[in-house]
Amino acid sequence: MAMDTPLSIDTRQPQWFAWLPIIAGLAAMYVPSFADLMRGIWSTDEQAHGPIVLGIACWLAYRKWPAMWQVSEGQAPSAWGWPIVVLALVLYAIGRSQDILLFEIGSLIWALAGILLLTRGSAALKAQWFALFFMLFMIPLPGVVVDTVTMPMKMAVSYVAEHILYAVGYPIARTGVILQIGQYKLLVADACAGLHTLFTLEALGLLYLNIVRRDSLVRNVTLAILIVPISFTANVIRVMVLTLITYHFGDEAGQGFLHGFAGMVLFLTALLLIIAVDAVIQWGVRRLEERGIIKFREAARA
């Protein structure tokens, strides 16, 4: 009995030692990339969600690690890992040398997927799929795509904010994405109503879906679709809050601490809306189940 404890410890040690070269290789490749991002694009308001998404993705992977290890125990490695790893290395080389962040940072997802296939098989990749998928939200998008999508979004947010405030009696007018209220003019910036904000809120909604699991397939699909209009609504509320702060407290308040506070209002509003919509969907699903119209839970499990 005295020899059982050392033996069990020794059998676990090779597992960790086997991962040390992999961790060292990934660190050598991607730590400089992330350091460049922290000094550059991730330090801007538009891309400030990048390191947060990375941290959450790491937490999701750590949270799933015991389950992944259990389901992949004894499974043979998959040969599909080799072409995926090669693809990741090619993307990284092109992205790093040509400064294409979409390739450079995106290659990390392919590299991790290939490593999981080579070390623990397809069951491990299936267990960690959401953490890898969540990393998509930290990849900086090409400027052409962002500019093309952001302008219509800013126009729509400005239009809705103007009409709501005008309807409740505020002296507000709009020219494009510029709101004029009283003696103040406000430009609706990319950080307030752009594609990056939509991406951040979409990531928040999907994280909520992953953490608060439900059996109903209808609930999950419906809420995932409604995250987009919820994000739009939260953006409108943020622009309205900033506009009212500027109107009542002056330009310095609108551009100072309260501007950052409005960003907190954005995410809090989005989270509350997601929770509220989820509660309404759950109530509707429960009522339909009680009436026996469709058995959503059984369909979801099937």
Side-chain angles (χ1 to χ4, degrees):
M1 295 295 294
M3 297 179 61
D4 289 341
T5 301
L7 181 59
S8 60
I9 295 175
D10 289 339
T11 56
R12 283 193 290 265
Q13 286 180 350
Q15 297 175 353
W16 292 106
F17 286 142
W19 282 84
L20 289 180
I22 298 174
I23 296 173
L26 290 174
M29 290 175 60
Y30 292 103
V31 167
S33 299
F34 287 127
D36 292 341
L37 288 175
M38 293 296 294
R39 291 191 296 264
I41 196 170
W42 277 2
S43 63
T44 63
D45 291 339
E46 292 83 359
Q47 295 279 356
H49 65 278
I52 299 175
V53 171
L54 176 61
I56 294 175
C58 293
W59 173 76
L60 289 170
Y62 174 79
R63 180 168 168 259
K64 268 290 186 180
W65 194 267
M68 179 207 77
W69 203 269
Q70 182 178 4
V71 299
S72 61
E73 189 67 33
Q75 188 180 60
S78 174
W80 283 103
W82 287 113
I84 294 177
V85 169
V86 171
L87 173 63
L89 294 175
V90 171
L91 289 176
Y92 176 82
I94 297 174
R96 186 68 175 169
S97 62
Q98 304 300 316
D99 197 23
I100 305 175
L101 294 177
L102 181 65
F103 288 178
E104 181 181 355
I105 306 302
S107 66
L108 175 61
I109 302 175
W110 292 103
L112 293 175
I115 290 170
L116 287 176
L117 288 174
L118 289 174
T119 54
R120 304 295 296 181
S122 58
L125 179 60
K126 184 178 179 181
Q128 293 286 4
W129 77 268
F130 184 76
L132 297 178
F133 171 76
F134 198 77
M135 288 184 182
L136 289 173
F137 293 97
M138 75 176 181
I139 301 175
L141 296 175
V144 175
V145 175
V146 174
D147 294 339
T148 302
V149 178
T150 293
M151 182 53 68
M153 290 178 57
K154 292 196 299 182
M155 291 286 291
V157 168
S158 305
Y159 176 85
V160 175
E162 177 214 2
H163 279 71
I164 292 177
L165 292 177
Y166 182 80
V168 297
Y170 281 95
I172 187 171
R174 179 181 63 89
T175 303
V177 295
I178 298 177
L179 297 174
Q180 181 168 353
I181 182 167
Q183 71 271 32
Y184 300 106
K185 288 186 177 181
L186 297 91
L187 172 66
V188 179
D190 294 355
C192 294
L195 181 61
H196 297 304
T197 305
L198 178 63
F199 255 52
T200 306
L201 296 179
E202 187 74 21
L204 176 65
L206 293 177
L207 178 63
Y208 173 84
L209 277 174
N210 183 259
I211 294 176
V212 185
R213 294 181 179 273
R214 307 290 188 191
D215 291 332
S216 173
L217 177 63
V218 171
R219 172 261 180 190
N220 292 329
V221 173
T222 304
L223 187 57
I225 295 173
L226 290 179
I227 288 174
V228 175
I230 288 173
S231 301
F232 179 82
T233 303
N235 275 318
V236 171
I237 293 174
R238 180 187 187 183
V239 171
M240 291 171 56
V241 168
L242 283 174
T243 303
L244 293 176
I245 288 173
T246 303
Y247 180 70
H248 288 289
F249 301 102
D251 185 64
E252 291 185 2
Q255 299 301 320
F257 168 76
L258 293 179
H259 185 279
F261 176 75
M264 296 175 59
V265 170
L266 169 71
F267 292 103
L268 181 60
T269 301
L271 181 59
L272 292 177
L273 286 173
I274 290 171
I275 295 173
V277 171
D278 185 29
V280 172
I281 294 174
Q282 279 295 102
W283 176 81
V285 169
R286 193 178 302 113
R287 290 294 299 272
L288 292 174
E289 287 178 344
E290 290 173 354
R291 296 180 181 181
I293 297 177
I294 298 178
K295 295 182 179 181
F296 289 120
R297 295 180 187 274
E298 283 75 2
R301 290 193 185 100

